[in-house]
Amino acid sequence: MPRSTTGGETAPARRRRTPLAAAAAVLCLLAGGATANAAGHSGPPPSGKLPMTGDVGDYVPGVVDDPVHDPTLFSDRGTYYVFSTGVANADDPGGIFVRKSTELAGPWESVGAIELPEWTKAYGVGHLWAPHVVQRGGTFYLYYAASSFGTNNSAIGVATTRTPGDLDSWVDHGPVLRSDTDDDFNAIDPQVFSDGGQWYIAFGSFWTGVKIQRLEDMTRPVGPVIDLADDPVDPPNAIENPQVFKRGGYWYLTVSRGFCCRGVDSTYATYVGRSTSPTGPFVDSEGVPMTEGGGDLLLDRRGDQVGTGALDVLNDRGRTYAVHHYYDADTGGTIRMQIREVEWRGGWPHFSYGPGDGTPSA
């Protein structure tokens, strides 16, 4: 979904940059979760809630707009990347925003935006939303959403490169999936993953919920559109941001429920279910299908981190990490990002409480 600045105002398209060091991490794709080979790192891999440093999201009117809504996390040749929703500007819509680091905790450096494809302007965009990046062979695929708030006149586009850190190297290939007012789904919030040689695209927001479809040639959805998750008990079905990944014998689906983009009034929270198949049915720990409103609460407000959601997962040095966005209550709702280790209890993902997270509710 889109992002707004503190207080819901649209900001000027300013970018900032900070220095960065060098280290290691190589990306390959494995069973729906990106996998980094971080052979150059010294010391043990980070654990728990990571102490984030550098450009992790900021907004000062007229000075800096450093957006990090709907982040996706991956790595290539010694560098971690987070791509995110672009700078909101009706007069100059922002393309997908890029930052990088040699360590998961940072310091992160904001690099700037990939040029917005001209075709997306037909969708009334104020910026591009909710990217997801995967690698197949030596090529990186960037999927993103073109839409405007409150409509399902939407499209998911794709761009490719072999050098993701070179913003000018991305080649756009136009839309791969569309929706309009005649459809009962919304073609935004893409996630692409593989199960062996078969690729899938998960997507959806509000309307009739989260969907999945087989993907051929990385650009052609084929076959039936399958329901993954719905929230029929709570109109207007505020559910979106699917993330499907595998651990052991199970596939896990996380979704964001509630409302984003309202600063400290945002109600986003993350729920999870699991299945033995990447296309479901996904159920919660009590066996309730996610297509019937099921799902275990995985992450909600932690201390000053409000509206936590839009997870993306990275496997790195034998551990699983998730990046998510939040609204910083300490600054009135600035959008920032957080990376946490995904821990496991009895076959279910779990986030332990770290500094600033407060204490678990009873």
Side-chain angles (χ1 to χ4, degrees), residues 1 156 177 185-191 202-212 239-242 255-256:
M1 284 295 288
I156 292 170
L177 183 64
F185 62 88
N186 194 6
I188 67 169
D189 291 0
Q191 189 231 349
F203 59 93
S205 169
F206 287 66
W207 272 260
T208 56
V210 168
K211 315 290 185 180
I212 193 169
I239 187 170
E240 55 195 10
N241 291 125
V255 296
S256 299

Side-chain angles (χ1 to χ4, degrees), residues 199-266:
W199 287 81
Y200 296 90
I201 182 168
F203 59 93
S205 169
F206 287 66
W207 272 260
T208 56
V210 168
K211 315 290 185 180
I212 193 169
Q213 199 170 7
R214 289 187 293 114
L215 191 64
E216 289 190 359
D217 304 323
M218 306 301 284
T219 59
R220 274 194 310 120
V222 297
V225 177
I226 300 170
D227 294 335
L228 286 185
D230 201 359
D231 194 12
V233 180
D234 188 18
N237 201 19
I239 187 170
E240 55 195 10
N241 291 125
Q243 172 77 194
V244 180
F245 62 100
K246 191 176 186 182
R247 183 179 188 268
Y250 286 102
W251 291 87
Y252 295 85
L253 168 66
T254 64
V255 296
S256 299
R257 287 185 185 164
F259 294 94
C260 76
C261 315
R262 299 181 177 185
V264 295
D265 295 323
S266 300

Side-chain angles (χ1 to χ4, degrees), residues 70-93:
D70 300 318
T72 183
L73 173 66
F74 66 101
S75 68
D76 177 48
R77 289 173 286 192
T79 302
Y80 296 104
Y81 292 94
V82 167
F83 285 20
S84 61
T85 288
V87 172
N89 189 317
D91 298 324
D92 181 20

